[in-house]
Amino acid sequence: MTPTVWTGQYYDGRSAARHDVTVTFEEQYACVRPAHGDPFPIPVASLRLTAGLLETEPVTWEIGSGPARLVIADRAVLAEAPPVLSRALKAERAPLPALLGLSGAVAAAILAFLWFLPALAEKGAGFIPWSWEERLGATASALEFGKLDICEDAALRGVLDAAVNRLAPRSPYPIRVRLVSSPMVNAFALPGGEIFIFAGLWNRIRTPEELAALLSHEIQHVERRHATKAIARELSTSALIGLAVGDATAARSVMETMGTLRALRYRRDDEEDADRRGLEAMMQAGIHPRGMVELFENLQQVAQDMPEGLVYVSTHPSTAARAALIRRESARFAGAGEPLVSERMWREARAACR
Amino acid sequence: MLFFLPGENLRMAIFTGNARDLFRIQLANFLLTVATLGVYSFWGRTRVRQYLYSHLELDGDRFQYHGTGGELLLGFVKMVAAVVLAFAGATGLRLLIGGALGEVAYTLSIYFAFALLVPVAMLGSRRYRYSRTSLRGVRFGLYATLREFFPFYLKHLFLLVITLGFYTPVFQVELERFLIQRTRYGDEPFHFDGTGSDLFSGFILNAILFWPTLTLSRFWWEARKRNYIWTHTTFQGVRFRPSLDGPSLLVLTFLNVVLTVFTLGLLTPWIKVRAMHYYAENILLAGDLDLNLIAQGSNTANATGDALSSLLDLGGDLGL
């Protein structure tokens, strides 16, 4: 079989002269025959494809490291020439595996930073001894909440203590509820058992059952260590930032995190967890769970009345899912329920801190 | 392919690329750029340039682009380093002087540093592009060093400032003269015989119409200026014959901006191809070239070392 004769151009790289040539390919050599002058061979191994993979390009090889080149317009040559000649120049390709690997590593580092470390820290927080949590809470309380104006009243204390005793009779934490004289509609629990209710919220609570529902929810935040875990999540990120910028004073990070404790947000899962377990605790204590339903409706009403500056409502969004969960769970309760406290005690407590 | 037009021995380059192929390239670039957090963009840009060059044909021969993504990446790293250095130096100055005077020194030194980076970028990117372009196996080249260009640039910048900008046409033409006179294909230089004062009336007209036309007059001024520069450029005694016009430049620019903004640049191949056709068809050569006698220039030997030449000499394409 006689090899195909291809017509093309040869440029020697020394001048811009164009040499019209015919080319035949053998196994090791491309035989180039100029229209004028002697034929010469080019080793196939020295030809490197720089253009011709697209239909609109003539097939172009650089010879050696250039700039000499051989051009054949008919792209059929790619099918007939030795296969090595149809491979594109490697040197000019991006080091894609390395680039993709590097990007993957960077993405993984970002993921670790945003998700993995906080998750790990949260798991670790589950092993923190109770006494540490108490001290953490006490420090936070002294640092950040010592300035708060606490309302003390014997009747109120009686109601709050009764609620705690009913709702968390065997809690490993010393649960302590205090009322803050502040118009803010808010309530929160610190690690270790301190719970604060703000007067703005207290004044809107209508029944002992609503109070029980609120406390039951907050007590679950304490017992399920939601705050501690949230701090651990927060801390793992800020400690990492501290490490990165060479400021590894962990103590400072702790302080700063405590400063943000007010703004600490539990995850939605944690809220649902506190809802469900809070309801459970109410029912076990024999308190009618409609208190939770009423509290929920009450807070939704509050949100409609004054949409701005409602800390408690904004951190406890009234999603349809939460409402459905509460209604479904509380429907299981059979019986009338025992009142939390006597009518008289409730009236006296309600009069406090107005 | 060779086109003979009636009357004169005019010839033009032909663009043979199409938007669909270019779109495929840019789509792949886009995806890989996202996957590599942006690093691939240097190779992507190189791929686009390769496509555009290898589909531009003059007298039956295709141009070829030899640049690599790695070179662009290196140029980018150098540029970032230079900018960081500039800011670090300025911050040091602010701390050293202190007070309100320190703030002034900071601002002034930042402006000064960027005024210095402009000629570096201007010369560097053009020199890089030319040295990576070839036709018939012979490279183009810009044989100018920053050491020559810098004092030249500063001198004309000074004249520009003290004439309150009226020197602009001369400034721009002199910059082109400097660069074109030092541009060669192989060992054959380009020549330039224009004078900036010829453009003065156009410059004044643009200055008057600039705001009344909501800056659109700049496209007419740009066309006039480019036509003037091409007209006064010769190679082997053959003159260029440009016919660029304001409306076309306006439409090309406008469509480019619109497609870049609204399609993340994915649909820009259509406008790029249109632009290539436009420039190929509107910048003609008025005469026959004899390329057979042109020898390879001396810059090919150290072409790859261009980007590394020296610390101050940023060399490589800055990716602008």
Side-chain angles (χ1 to χ4, degrees):
Chain A
M1 193 180 93
T2 52
T4 315
V5 178
W6 306 97
T7 58
Q9 291 82 39
Y10 170 74
Y11 307 91
D12 64 12
R14 291 187 297 276
S15 82
R18 176 170 58 197
H19 306 278
D20 291 322
V21 295
T22 59
V23 185
T24 53
F25 287 99
E26 287 161 22
E27 211 160 297
Q28 300 292 325
Y29 292 97
C31 253
V32 181
R33 290 182 182 76
H36 314 284
D38 297 328
F40 57 93
I42 300 173
V44 160
S46 71
L47 288 172
R48 293 177 314 156
L49 189 71
T50 60
L53 292 177
L54 293 171
E55 277 178 21
T56 47
E57 287 175 339
V59 178
T60 306
W61 289 283
E62 255 180 20
I63 300 161
S65 56
R69 60 203 291 214
L70 182 66
V71 180
I72 293 176
D74 188 350
R75 292 183 68 256
V77 69
L78 282 179
E80 285 203 18
V84 64
L85 291 183
S86 54
R87 275 184 226 141
L89 210 58
K90 271 222 174 69
E92 283 163 20
R93 286 207 214 140
L96 260 186
L99 286 184
L100 287 172
L102 202 68
S103 312
V106 170
I110 291 171
L111 208 67
F113 186 76
L114 293 180
W115 180 80
F116 182 68
L117 266 169
L120 195 72
E122 191 184 318
K123 281 264 180 290
F127 297 101
I128 294 174
W130 296 321
S131 58
W132 285 23
E133 278 189 281
E134 277 175 53
R135 242 182 302 160
L136 188 68
T139 315
S141 175
L143 265 175
E144 273 297 314
F145 307 105
K147 289 161 271 177
L148 294 180
D149 187 7
I150 302 296
C151 170
E152 284 297 348
D153 178 273
L156 176 67
R157 170 89 4 243
V159 170
L160 294 176
D161 286 349
V164 171
N165 287 337
R166 286 275 295 275
L167 290 165
R170 282 177 298 278
S171 179
Y173 296 95
I175 307 279
R176 187 161 161 232
V177 187
R178 288 191 284 181
L179 185 68
V180 182
S181 303
S182 159
M184 274 165 75
V185 182
N186 197 10
F188 59 82
L190 290 180
E194 286 231 59
I195 295 171
F196 291 94
I197 302 175
F198 286 65
L201 183 54
W202 165 243
N203 289 336
R204 281 166 200 276
I205 286 175
R206 298 167 299 194
T207 62
E209 284 72 28
E210 281 188 27
L211 175 69
L214 176 69
L215 287 177
S216 194
H217 178 94
E218 292 300 326
I219 288 169
Q220 289 309 315
H221 277 322
V222 173
E223 294 198 344
R224 302 292 296 164
R225 305 181 153 194
H226 291 156
T228 311
K229 286 173 181 174
I231 291 174
R233 282 197 301 268
E234 193 80 1
L235 215 61
S236 70
T237 316
S238 63
L240 210 70
I241 293 172
L243 222 64
V245 300
D247 172 52
T249 48
R252 215 172 116 197
S253 309
V254 174
M255 292 302 151
E256 277 166 6
T257 306
M258 285 188 173
T260 60
L261 210 58
R262 277 170 197 268
L264 206 60
R265 276 163 186 263
Y266 301 124
R267 294 186 319 198
R268 178 162 295 181
D269 291 359
D270 291 348
E271 291 298 346
E272 280 178 17
D273 193 30
D275 281 344
R276 195 180 297 114
R277 287 172 190 276
L279 266 176
E280 204 66 44
M282 278 176 84
M283 292 192 269
Q284 269 179 22
I287 302 170
H288 201 290
R290 73 167 166 260
M292 187 75 88
V293 179
E294 285 164 4
L295 176 69
F296 200 81
E297 285 165 356
N298 190 353
L299 288 175
Q300 272 181 324
Q301 191 58 45
V302 169
Q304 279 166 17
D305 289 351
M306 36 186 297
E308 308 269 343
L310 279 170
V311 183
Y312 194 78
V313 179
S314 73
T315 55
H316 293 74
S318 344
T319 59
R322 271 189 81 197
L325 173 85
I326 291 168
R327 289 208 180 86
R328 198 173 58 238
E329 293 288 317
S330 63
R332 288 174 16 217
F333 189 76
E338 289 172 54
L340 181 68
V341 288
S342 69
E343 283 285 324
R344 198 174 60 87
M345 259 180 96
W346 178 249
R347 266 202 310 277
E348 279 175 22
R350 289 303 288 150
C353 304
R354 284 276 172 182
Chain B
M1 243 176 281
L2 195 56
F3 276 81
F4 291 98
L5 301 176
E8 224 173 355
N9 186 11
L10 289 175
R11 62 177 68 198
M12 69 179 187
I14 300 159
F15 184 66
T16 58
N18 64 72
R20 212 187 299 165
D21 284 344
L22 190 56
F23 173 73
R24 276 196 205 108
I25 291 169
Q26 287 198 184
L27 186 65
N29 288 349
F30 180 78
L31 297 176
L32 283 170
T33 298
V34 171
T36 60
L37 307 176
V39 182
Y40 185 80
S41 67
F42 302 104
W43 281 268
R45 205 173 304 157
T46 299
R47 189 75 196 83
V48 169
R49 285 183 190 172
Q50 274 170 356
Y51 182 86
L52 294 177
Y53 281 49
S54 71
H55 288 85
L56 188 64
E57 191 174 304
L58 182 68
D59 198 9
D61 294 299
R62 299 288 183 100
F63 285 83
Q64 197 180 345
Y65 183 71
H66 303 267
T68 66
E71 289 170 350
L72 287 191
L73 176 63
L74 190 66
F76 176 76
V77 168
K78 285 180 182 177
M79 185 190 72
V80 169
V83 170
V84 167
L85 262 174
F87 273 100
T91 306
L93 209 62
R94 175 160 69 179
L95 293 177
L96 205 68
I97 298 171
L101 205 64
E103 296 300 320
V104 172
Y106 176 79
T107 310
L108 282 182
S109 52
I110 293 285
Y111 277 122
F112 186 67
F114 278 93
L116 295 189
L117 283 180
V118 166
V120 174
M122 198 185 269
L123 183 71
S125 64
R126 208 188 273 206
R127 190 168 56 186
Y128 174 77
R129 286 281 281 266
Y130 288 178
S131 73
R132 299 297 184 273
T133 305
S134 76
L135 179 68
R136 294 174 159 225
V138 166
R139 299 239 187 171
F140 288 79
L142 174 54
Y143 293 75
T145 61
L146 201 55
R147 194 176 294 185
E148 286 178 273
F149 186 58
F150 218 68
F152 170 85
Y153 182 86
L154 287 184
K155 184 184 110 188
H156 287 277
L157 189 67
F158 175 73
L159 289 172
L160 185 70
V161 172
I162 61 162
T163 58
L164 305 173
F166 282 99
Y167 189 65
T168 303
V170 184
F171 177 71
Q172 293 182 339
V173 167
E174 287 309 312
L175 277 182
E176 287 299 335
R177 182 200 310 285
F178 182 97
L179 296 170
I180 290 169
Q181 298 267 41
R182 287 164 178 77
T183 299
R184 290 185 206 164
Y185 169 62
D187 61 351
E188 179 77 21
F190 285 76
H191 292 285
F192 185 78
D193 57 9
T195 52
S197 53
D198 292 344
L199 280 172
F200 197 71
S201 58
F203 169 73
I204 294 294
L205 197 62
N206 178 45
I208 293 168
L209 295 176
F210 193 73
W211 291 118
T213 60
L214 304 172
T215 79
L216 293 183
S217 68
R218 71 197 150 100
F219 292 103
W220 276 259
W221 161 237
E222 188 67 23
R224 165 115 195 248
K225 194 172 68 189
R226 288 206 219 168
N227 282 338
Y228 182 82
I229 289 163
W230 280 110
T231 306
H232 289 85
T233 303
T234 59
F235 182 76
Q236 283 189 330
V238 176
R239 206 164 277 280
F240 287 90
R241 190 61 52 85
S243 52
L244 304 177
D245 61 306
S248 300
L249 294 185
L250 189 155
V251 169
L252 287 174
T253 308
F254 176 74
L255 289 180
N256 192 31
V257 169
V258 167
L259 291 183
T260 303
V261 170
F262 290 105
T263 69
L264 291 173
L266 274 176
L267 294 188
T268 51
W270 276 269
I271 199 65
K272 278 181 187 159
V273 165
R274 196 173 152 169
M276 288 298 286
H277 279 295
Y278 176 73
Y279 288 122
E281 285 157 19
N282 286 286
I283 301 172
L284 307 179
L285 266 166
D288 287 327
L289 300 175
D290 186 5
L291 301 183
N292 284 333
L293 296 174
I294 291 171
Q296 188 73 264
S298 58
N299 75 332
T300 42
N302 63 353
T304 46
D306 182 81
L308 292 162
S309 49
S310 75
L311 182 68
L312 179 67
D313 195 341
L314 286 171
D317 188 301
L318 297 171
L320 297 172

